């Protein structure tokens, strides 16, 4: 699941889709604006297209898509890797004339119905570590402290991301089924 923007060609998520058979976008990164209902519908269509259990990999706002989807749907999801979700204050509303490229009612704060790992950064501009901890606690996710990695995107040097590959392997191992 892509975030709000379109990942650069060297972004770890682009590499994973390009280099791993069976990986696909849900949806292909459309870029802003992020309209939650559209992204959730695209994710649901991708999950429903096959009865085979999937492992969801989401970055940034894509993590919010996963949480919303899980609240509204059931499906063959085995696990999720949730990477640096942005924190959205439940009381935030755009001011008059404020340009908004995120359209979302609210972020669900209940446990996900599948195992998940939430990757947190100590230096993400979109969430504090305490906010990542709160998401992990609310979603029932295992918290992985990635250190000072910014938003874990191309701007902060993440083309290859070996720790992410290890986390993904841990979710796909037979013991996690």
């Amino acid at each position: 699941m892509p975030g709000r923007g379109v990942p650069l060609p060297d972004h770890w998520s682009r590499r994973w889709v390009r280099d791993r058979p069976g990986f696909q976008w849900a949806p292909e990164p459309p870029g802003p604006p992020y309209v939650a209902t559209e992204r959730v519908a695209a994710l649901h269509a991708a999950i429903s297209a096959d009865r085979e259990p999937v492992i969801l990999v989401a970055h940034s706002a894509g993590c919010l898509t996963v949480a919303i989807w899980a609240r509204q749907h059931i499906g063959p999801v085995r696990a999720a890797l949730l990477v640096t979700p942005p924190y959205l204050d439940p009381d935030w509303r755009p001011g008059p004339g404020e340009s908004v490229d995120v359209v979302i009612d609210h972020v669900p704060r209940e446990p996900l119905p599948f195992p998940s790992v939430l990757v947190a950064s100590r230096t993400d501009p979109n969430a504090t570590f305490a906010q990542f901890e709160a998401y992990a606690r609310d979603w029932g996710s295992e918290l992985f402290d990635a250190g000072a990695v910014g938003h874990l995107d191309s701007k902060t040097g993440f083309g290859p991301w070996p720790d992410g590959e290890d986390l993904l392997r841990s979710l796909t191992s037979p013991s996690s089924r």
Side-chain angles (χ1 to χ4, degrees):
M1 288 301 308
R4 181 180 57 83
V6 177
L8 296 173
D10 64 336
H11 190 279
W12 59 268
S13 62
R14 283 265 187 220
R15 289 170 178 258
W16 289 10
V17 170
R18 182 180 61 236
D19 298 343
R20 289 177 164 69
F23 276 50
Q24 67 177 4
W25 290 106
E28 175 70 27
Y34 172 87
V35 179
T37 54
E38 293 173 2
R39 302 286 181 98
V40 169
L43 176 58
H44 188 63
I47 291 171
S48 300
D50 195 339
R51 288 225 167 304
E52 197 66 30
V54 298
I55 293 179
L56 303 174
V57 177
H59 180 245
S60 192
C63 301
L64 308 181
T65 303
V66 169
I68 297 166
W69 178 88
R71 177 183 231 195
Q72 298 173 357
H73 303 283
I74 58 170
V77 175
R78 211 166 86 200
L81 180 61
L82 307 169
V83 182
T84 61
Y87 180 75
L88 294 181
D89 185 318
D91 297 325
W92 175 84
R93 298 290 177 264
E98 186 176 354
S99 175
V100 178
D101 67 355
V102 174
V103 180
I104 185 171
D105 285 335
H106 87 287
V107 178
R109 301 298 289 258
E110 57 262 349
L112 299 173
F114 40 78
S116 58
V117 173
L118 189 144
V119 178
S121 170
R122 297 271 177 184
T123 55
D124 192 303
N126 302 308
T128 66
F129 196 79
Q131 290 165 336
F132 287 129
E133 288 176 313
Y135 273 152
R137 182 179 55 252
D138 294 345
W139 292 341
S141 302
E142 177 185 333
L143 183 69
F144 178 80
D145 183 348
V149 294
H151 194 51
L152 237 158
D153 54 11
S154 301
K155 291 180 202 168
T156 50
F158 288 89
W161 182 35
D163 285 345
E165 293 175 28
D166 290 344
L167 289 169
L168 184 60
R169 269 192 293 281
S170 77
L171 288 170
T172 60
S173 71
S175 64
S176 68
R177 293 181 190 177

